[in-house]
Each structure stands twice: as C-alpha cells, then as structure tokens.
Amino acid sequence: MDVRRRVLVVAILASFVSFLDGSVVNVALPAISAELATDPDQVLGLQQWVVDAYLITLGALILVAGSVSDVYGRRRVLWWGLVGFGVTSVLCALAPTGAALIVARALQGVAGALLVPSSLAMIVSAFTGAAQGRAIGIWTAWTGTASIIGPLLGGVFVDTLSWRWVFGINVLPVAATLWLLRGVAEGERLGGRTIDVRGAMLAAVGLAGTVFALIEQGRFGWASPVVWGPLVVGLAALVAFGVWERRAPDPMLPLALFERRNFVWGNVATAAIYGALYFGMFVVTLFVQQVAGYSATAAGLALLPVTLLLLALSTTFGTLAGRYGPRLFMTLGPVLGGCGFLLMLTATAQASYLTQILPGVLLFGLGLAVTVAPSTATILGAVRPQDAGIGSAVNNAVSRVAGLVVIAFAGLIIGPRLDVEGFHRALVVTAALLVVGGLVSWAGIRNPQRTPT
C-alpha cells in the first residue's frame, strides 16, 4: 500500500473508532440501564452520564492532545491512544456497575482525545496542496458518518449478543489500525512546543462541573450544594480557561484562529447544529425503544436513511457550495433538518415508523447532507493551510462539547422520565437549535470571493 494512502487509512480508522463510540452506545442505553440502574428514578441520569462522561474528557482534551502529539511524536501518541482505547473499551465491556461504566467511559474519552489530533496532524504532514484538502475531506466524511451509523451497529450487537459487545468489539479495529501503523514513519517532533497543562485542567474541570450540575439537578434540586457547588466551580473554571488562553505561551486553543469571520460564525453554527444532532439522535433512539417498544436493531435501522442520504448527497452539495458559495446551503440545510424533527411531532406512543418517524428522518437526513460538506469546507477554508489540523480539531471539539452540554439538559427538557410529551418537547428544542444554526450561518457566513478565470 502506498505510504500516503496508508497514512490516510490509519487516520480514518483511528478517528472513526473514536467518533463511532460516541454514538454507537445510544441504542444500548436501555439495555445498560435495565441491567445497571438500581433506582428507576435514576435511569435517565445513568443514560446521560454514559454518553457525557465520554464526551467530557474527549471534548476537554482533544485540543491539548494536539500539542502532546507535536511534543512526543504523532505516531507514538497515536499508538498510545489506540492501546488506551482498546484497554478502556474492555473495561467498559466488563463494568459490573453503573459507576464503574461511567469511570471507564471517561477514561475511554481520554484515549479517544489522543487519536483525533494525531490523525489530523499525520494527514497534514503527508499531504500538501489540493491533495491535503481532499484527504481532510475524506477524513471528515468518514468520521461524520461514524456518528450516524453507530446506532445501527449498536442495535445489532444489543439484540444478537449483549450491550457489552458494543464496547468489546472495538478491540478488532484497534488491532487492525495498530498493525497498519507499523508501516507509518515516526515523523519529526516539533521543537519549541509546550503542553498547555493548565488550560487542559481548567477545561476539564469547567466542563465536568457544569455538566454534573445540569444532569444531577433533577435528583438533588438546584438548591442543593451538591448541584450549585459544582456549577459555580465549573463556570468559574471556564471563565478562567478563557482568560488563561489569552496569556498562555502555547495555548491549546489559539485565539488567533477566531480572527477569521467564517471560522468564528461557522463554529457558532456548528455548536447549534451538532448540539441538535447529538441530542436529537439521543432522544429519538431512546423514545422508539423505551416508549414505542422497538428492538435495538429496529431503532438503529430507523435512523439508517440519514446515513444513506449523507453518503449519497454530501459530495453533490459540497460541489454546489463550491460553485455558488456555502452560505445558502449552510442556511437551508439546518432549517430543513429542523422541519424534519417538527414532522415527528405527530408521533404517538406507538410511533408508527412509516407515517410518524420516517418522513421526519428523511427530511432531517436531506438537511444534514445539504449542510455538512459546505460547513466543513467553509471552516477549514477560513484558516491557513498550515493551521488546517488545529482548525479541524477546534471544530470537532466544538461539536462534541455542544453535544454533551445539550444532552446534559435532557432532564430539564424531557422531565424525570421519557414519555410522549417529553419527546415532543425534545423535538421542538432540537428543531429550534437547527433553525438557530441556519440563521447564524445566514447572518455570519460570507461566500468566498471567486477568482476570475
């Protein structure tokens, strides 16, 4: 296999397994809570934590992991991340209690954070010019697909084997990627780089404290110090993180990137759109199983049209956006997706798939296909070629953090237990976030000036 192709395959596999695990678990949540939740009133909280424990550490560390790969070598850090991901996946599969699974998921997020920046940096080093843009586009398409196809794979494992295989199966792609990694050169380490340990700690504490308060307020109430204490600490840490990143000699979040208009507005739109994506998929997957009685496999199949539309149409809309500019597509796509979720407001407790779920899923999938490629190209196109790796890492971090924060609000939106009324409220919130993403794009994104030919 050609060296550059091997680098691209390794980068895709390493990132794919990380992003896949962020979504594959969704359809396993009812089975996990049925086995590990000791109190019926704590079922939703356990489900939120199984998802968010992973996203907290992944989102908090994905940026600083870029510095780690620069200092210690990208191939070496990728190897550490793969081994760590394999080990923590086994820990998840063997978890005897809900608390043990949550801890294992948090550790899995740490390992996952090491995979993404190293993969991107290897692509940026191996490819130049137009080939680099194509390689990053291929990487983005596959990692984006991982977040959507996960529920189908998870459903098959839950119904045919056990929810534990959702995690245990990760050992196979990890082993394959480690084998392919043997043919990749170590690469140069970048001198003069330092690791922003303080920034990473502030980000982790800020996200963990805030998300803990949002999830546990349903159990303890806002007046409890168990809730407002972590909330105050978390918010203070996030403020301190912003202040520190302005002063840090080698910040994990280079604020100079945010001097680019399309980069700023594109990431604001990403926060709204991907917050809706993570929350919407989380809620739909739980509803069709816990309320409508779908099997885990049927729940995964219910969302398969989104994947098919994304794969079939993303290239077309990416090409059209390149010809006519991304602004219109980044506006209409999220609005179409929001209308898709509003169509599902017809859903009853039986959730008839053909009449109450499928039409909304199809419209959402079309909206997502219209949005993803133009959005990715716009955000990466707004930064210098040498900053493509960190630019993509920032965009990925924004999307994961947005997802974990919105899911943390699930208890406030849905209520203590998921029912038809709570599902409808969640659909409205998801649609509103998508429409906000479209309006932000219309207000902030500017089409690049076309060079006369």
Side-chain angles (χ1 to χ4, degrees), residues 61 237 393:
L61 300 177

Side-chain angles (χ1 to χ4, degrees), residues 318-336:
T319 301
L320 290 173
R323 183 180 304 167
Y324 300 108
R327 186 183 181 211
L328 179 63
F329 298 92
M330 291 176 66
T331 300
L332 292 181
V335 173
L336 283 174

